[in-house]
Every structure is written in structure tokens, then in C-alpha cells.
Amino acid sequence: MEANFRWVLLTAVAPVAWGANYYVTREFLPADRPLWGAALRALPAGLLLLALRPRRPRGAWWWRTAVLGLLNTAGFFVLLYIASQSLATSVASTVMAASPLAMLLLAWVLTAARPARAHLLGALVGLAGVGLMLLTRSEPVSLPGLSASAAAMLVSSFGYVLAARWREGADVLATTAWQLLAGGLVLLPLAAVFEGPPVVPAGRELAAFGYVAVVATALAFAAWFAGLRRLPAGTVGLLGLLNPLTGVLLGTVVAGERLGPTQFAGLVLVLAGVALGRPRGGSGGGPEGAAEGGAEGAPEGVSEDAPEGRPGSGPLGRVAAAGVAGGGGSGAGDGGGGSGRSAPNGSE
């Protein structure tokens, strides 16, 4: 019990760090440098994770890593940066909390696999909450920010669907490291062309970049994957709700944003929707040293052989669990993440 509690605390680091990332990006990072901001987040984090798990992709995982890096790192990080800068922290975190629900619907369209009733109900409830949160605000909501949020959810959801289909043969931490590096390397020339010389952060801006790359990416991914290996998938899914709660708390208490009764009701609906859509049951990961890494998109505690239609089972159950904390990206992203059972031939 005590060991389980320690793993719960460690895993909770990830959604709290992702929730705080909206506030840090909006308050301390340059608003006009999304390409450099995303690159400076991805590359240091990728190097740190690769130092933890120094394994190279093998076979098809070279080009798969490049594709997922383009979607889950380059595309997602840039769009998330724009959304965080354009929207109030409480709004950005609430909207992005609905990403696993959008992911579930997109997976249904692309794979023709009907979700369980609980998952579908969760998606409808969560999306209704987002609508209530946005439509009842007295202050205008940035249309570019909402567009960036929607695009981020679409890009990361598509990336997660691909990762779920390619789940065999991947060491999840090493694969995430290479995705971060691939996406960051794609962003470097684009940033140089469209945004000029690289930013030279100092003071609070340097500390903010350090937080985003080290804490909200490298440390958060490592903690999230460790929790997915050792805790039931349903427990990890509930911990993921700390992501939007942290963002809303920082936005309202620290940044002074106003959240009226109807916006609060919308937040509650979003959290209820994500809770309904989370994977059910699952026994959690194996003991220390067992099942290192895993298949991308297949969370520990969800059986590969579970029948379709039961909540938390089959491809849609794995996709729902992959993004259950909200946000997606890089195999885990700002509040989402999937890990799974080990497979021997994805990295060496």
C-alpha cells in the first residue's frame, strides 16, 4: 500500500506539471516565438530521455518515429504554444482537457471500431462542458487560440491513433525521446527562417524554458510512463484530471482570471466526461524491472486480448487511455500518455 502511494505521488507529478505548463508559457515565454519555443522544449527533453534510455529505433520504427515526431512533437508543441499564449490559462487547460474525448471520436472515424457506451457518453458530456465554458464567458475568447487548440487536438489525436496501430515493438521511453528529437530537428530550420535568430533567454524566461523542457516534458514523461507500468490504468486516468484542475487553479488564483458559476459548471462537465471515458479496471504494471518500456498507445493494465466493446479494452480503450489526462503529444504530451506491455524489437 505504501509503495503504491509513492507511485501515485510520482505519477501525479506529470499532470500537475502539464497543467502548470499553460500558465508558464503564457506568463513567461515570448508570445511571438512558437517555433523556437517548441524546439527549445523538445530537443533538451529528448536528449535527457535518451540519456535515461539510450536505445536506437530499429526497422520500421525509424520512419514511424519521424512521422510521430512530426505530429506529436513538432505540430502539437507549436499549436499548444499558440493556444497557451492566446487563451486564458483556465480556458486553455479546460479546452485541452477534452482532447482524449476528441481522440476517441477520431479513432472511431478512422478505425470504424465503435466505442463503448461509457466512452461515447463521456465524449458528449465533455464536449458539452467545453461549449458551456466558452459560450458563457463575458470576456471574448481568442478565435486563433481556439483554432490552435482544435488543431492541436486533431494533430495529436491522429498521432495517437497511428501510435495505437503501431504499438508492437516499441520501447516507449526511448521512442518518445526519438520523437522529441525528430520533431525538434524539424522545427529548427523552420524557426530560423520564419522567426529569425534563436531566442537567448535570461532570467525568468530562462527558468521558464528550463521548466517547460525539463519538468513539463522530460520529468513528466518519465513519471507518467513509470506510473502506467505500476498502477492500474483507471488510477492513472483519475490522476490525469489534475492537469485541467492545476491549469484552472493557477489561472484563477495566480493569474486573476474570473471563473463564473456557468464556467465552473462547464469545467465540472469536462472532468466528468474525461472520468467517464477513462479505462476501467486493469491490474497495473508489473514489478520493478519487469516489462520495461512498452507498446506505444497500449496502457499497462489494459489487456491486449480484451474483447471489444468492454470499457477500457480493445483499440479504442487503449486510445482513450493514451490521452486520458488531456492534451496529448509525444506519446504522452501535455496531460496524455500511453504505455504498455514490453515488446522486444522496437529499439536496441
Side-chain angles (χ1 to χ4, degrees):
M1 180 67 72
E2 184 180 348
N4 241 24
F5 181 68
R6 287 200 297 267
W7 283 114
V8 167
L9 289 180
L10 175 64
T11 308
V13 167
V16 170
W18 289 322
N21 187 58
Y22 302 107
Y23 173 77
V24 172
T25 300
R26 179 176 173 84
E27 297 294 328
F28 301 111
L29 297 184
D32 58 345
R33 297 294 185 98
L35 294 172
W36 278 117
L40 292 177
R41 176 182 182 179
L43 289 172
L47 291 172
L48 285 172
L49 290 182
L50 193 60
L52 288 176
R53 192 63 62 90
R55 300 180 182 180
R56 292 176 294 134
R58 292 175 57 186
W61 271 103
W62 280 109
W63 66 264
R64 290 177 178 179
T65 296
V67 172
L68 294 176
L70 184 63
L71 293 169
N72 292 341
T73 298
F76 177 74
F77 278 8
V78 170
L79 292 166
L80 185 69
Y81 193 102
I82 295 171
S84 299
Q85 291 284 358
S86 305
L87 298 173
T89 298
S90 56
V91 174
S93 57
T94 302
V95 172
M96 292 306 298
S99 62
L101 310 177
M103 187 187 306
L104 191 71
L105 296 177
L106 183 65
W108 186 8
V109 172
L110 294 180
T111 65
R114 184 180 179 86
R117 290 181 182 178
H119 292 157
L120 188 57
L121 178 61
L124 296 176
V125 170
L127 295 177
V130 171
L132 185 63
M133 181 83 170
L134 298 177
L135 296 177
T136 58
R137 288 181 63 85
S138 56
E139 304 89 353
V141 178
S142 166
L143 186 57
L146 283 180
S147 300
S149 293
M153 285 191 282
L154 183 64
V155 165
S156 63
S157 296
F158 184 56
Y160 271 125
V161 171
L162 288 179
R165 294 176 69 90
W166 296 338
R167 62 188 179 272
E168 80 289 344
D171 179 287
V172 69
L173 198 60
T175 301
T176 299
W178 284 102
Q179 286 182 51
L180 288 165
L181 292 174
L185 290 174
V186 167
L187 289 170
L188 282 181
L190 296 176
V193 170
F194 292 104
E195 295 180 355
V199 293
V200 183
R204 292 195 308 173
E205 192 174 89
L206 179 61
F209 272 116
Y211 172 84
V212 167
V214 177
V215 179
T217 308
L219 175 61
F221 285 177
W224 189 250
F225 292 142
L228 279 167
R229 285 175 54 206
R230 292 170 174 85
L231 296 172
T235 300
V236 179
L238 285 179
L239 289 174
L241 298 179
L242 293 172
N243 178 347
L245 289 175
T246 301
V248 170
L249 185 65
L250 288 174
T252 54
V253 176
V254 181
E257 299 166 3
R258 300 181 62 183
L259 195 66
T262 51
Q263 287 83 51
F264 182 77
L267 171 64
V268 170
L269 285 177
V270 171
L271 297 179
V274 175
L276 282 171
R278 72 185 177 90
R280 303 297 198 272
S283 58
E288 183 90 10
E292 285 193 342
E296 190 99 19
E300 188 68 31
V302 178
S303 172
E304 295 292 332
D305 302 317
E308 298 294 333
R310 182 165 57 83
S313 65
L316 283 175
R318 288 189 288 268
V319 169
V324 74
S330 287
D334 278 5
S339 180
R341 306 186 185 283
S342 61
N345 55 352
S347 56
E348 59 183 8

